Amino acid sequence: MDRVVHRQARWACALSLSSKRISAYEAGNGENLHGWYTGDGMTYLYDGDDLGQFNDGFWPTVDPYRLPGTTVDTRERTDLGTGAGTSTYRPTNAVAGGAVLHDRYGAAAMELIGPAGTTLRTKKSWFLLDNTVIALGAGISSSDGRTVETIVENRNLGPDGTQRLLVDGVRQPAEQGWTEEFGHARWAHVDGVGGYVFPDPAALHALREERTGTWRAINTGADTGGGTDPVTRRYLTLWVDHGVSPAGADYSYVLLPGASAAATAVWSHSRPVRIVANDATAQAVEARRQGLTAVNFWGAGNAAGITASGPASVLVQRRGQELAVAVADPSRTLTSLTVELPFRVRRVVTADDTVSLAPGRRPVLTVAVGGSRGHTHTAVLS
């Protein structure tokens, strides 16, 4: 898979992406029978108090239709990899990747084009900042007559976990089997994990359930087959229901790893990061305190005052009289890319040899992205 990894002192977030270049999963010889959605933007959130989240009986017990970070339809799937030999599935989307600025901020994007048997399409973005991950989805469409869901979280709470869940400050039940729909949720908090903010109040669904499975159910390989002893874990799942056959649906949510409930409520109210675009043209955020704007363009377009000539991930940070710019082509289809900025620029301070500048009130960067395999190109401007 294409991996995006964002590390902080107390937490890390990893994204599993895929494209026509890199498979969504590998399966064969009876292994990885339920890996259907592991490359569709699955989001691995690790924090300092819960580093074993994904290796504590997670794979035989998690609902494989509800992996965190994914947008899926609810059709029933058949086991993968039941034949001899190893097989892979490569989707048909070109966009999967992103750009990095100062080794500190990231913009990642993936166009999701479902496999045969589904017409599901969506454009997914993640913006990875100091203490925040902003997840956006746009153009969520399907004509199959099935419900489509975006999974905000599906947390493994261990064999007997009862971690507290708050929704808009109200404590929710801890009993297994409890489920609820919150019509206009603004924020949620899970003890020991962190906060979840919904900039546009969401129709949030929540579920507590105890799930039992075996390693053998997902790995029947002759040499590597799993055990048949039952494994039981408790899960807390949060998701957004886009309805049956959605047309142009979207979502937005913010992960605040390790944040307290009070800090989550404050973030929800103060909105230090603002979503300025979330559509089929571009997805963009502005972090005002950092002077940072980050955009994923799905084609030629304009967002947050920035114009791009084609698909691009762009990050711009203004600090004093300098602009730091990072640009990448996550589709790996372009030879050259132009980016117009909304700040007056006089000259280049430093730049990669692939970047040239036409200065002025609306400066234009021309970036030679051809052959760079999604690499980030950077410049500092005065």
Side-chain angles (χ1 to χ4, degrees), residues 75-290:
R75 67 181 176 135
E76 185 174 353
R77 303 295 299 269
T78 57
D79 286 352
L80 298 168
T82 54
T86 299
S87 61
T88 58
Y89 165 71
R90 282 191 297 171
T92 59
N93 59 292
V95 173
V100 177
L101 180 63
H102 299 317
D103 290 333
R104 181 174 179 177
Y105 307 114
M110 177 182 169
E111 181 180 13
L112 178 65
I113 299 176
T118 177
T119 59
L120 178 62
R121 303 287 187 273
T122 186
K123 294 175 169 63
K124 299 171 71 72
S125 285
W126 299 264
F127 300 98
L128 305 118
L129 309 181
D130 291 326
N131 58 2
T132 308
V133 178
I134 300 96
L136 302 180
I140 303 170
S141 300
S142 172
S143 59
D144 303 311
R146 293 186 294 266
T147 299
V148 174
E149 300 175 346
T150 293
I151 315 306
V152 176
E153 181 61 278
N154 198 356
R155 204 71 185 169
N156 177 3
L157 304 181
D160 54 5
T162 58
Q163 285 88 325
R164 184 185 68 168
L165 168 67
L166 298 179
V167 178
D168 291 334
V170 179
R171 184 167 187 160
Q172 304 303 318
E175 292 80 12
Q176 298 308 300
W178 167 83
T179 186
E180 187 64 78
E181 178 183 356
F182 303 89
H184 293 83
R186 296 182 180 277
W187 63 273
H189 184 269
V190 179
D191 274 1
V193 182
Y196 308 81
V197 173
F198 304 93
D200 295 319
L204 180 68
H205 294 251
L207 169 68
R208 288 186 185 269
E209 63 177 340
E210 193 169 75
R211 296 180 57 84
T212 298
T214 67
W215 286 101
R216 173 67 62 173
I218 59 173
N219 182 3
T220 62
D223 297 324
T224 60
T228 58
D229 293 340
V231 179
T232 300
R233 295 292 184 268
R234 292 181 176 181
Y235 284 85
L236 176 57
T237 311
L238 304 174
W239 75 94
V240 176
D241 187 334
H242 302 294
V244 176
S245 295
D250 58 31
Y251 66 81
S252 59
Y253 62 89
V254 179
L255 305 179
L256 301 174
S260 67
T264 303
V266 169
W267 203 103
S268 177
H269 178 73
S270 63
R271 303 287 178 86
V273 180
R274 187 168 67 98
I275 297 169
V276 294
N278 185 21
D279 55 42
T281 298
Q283 294 166 309
V285 300
E286 291 180 345
R288 287 162 286 180
R289 292 177 185 173
Q290 292 88 356

Side-chain angles (χ1 to χ4, degrees), residues 16-34:
S16 293
L17 313 181
S18 56
S19 70
K20 63 182 182 181
R21 300 176 300 273
I22 292 187
S23 297
Y25 53 76
E26 176 183 320
N29 299 314
E31 300 175 2
N32 194 28
L33 300 182
H34 298 164

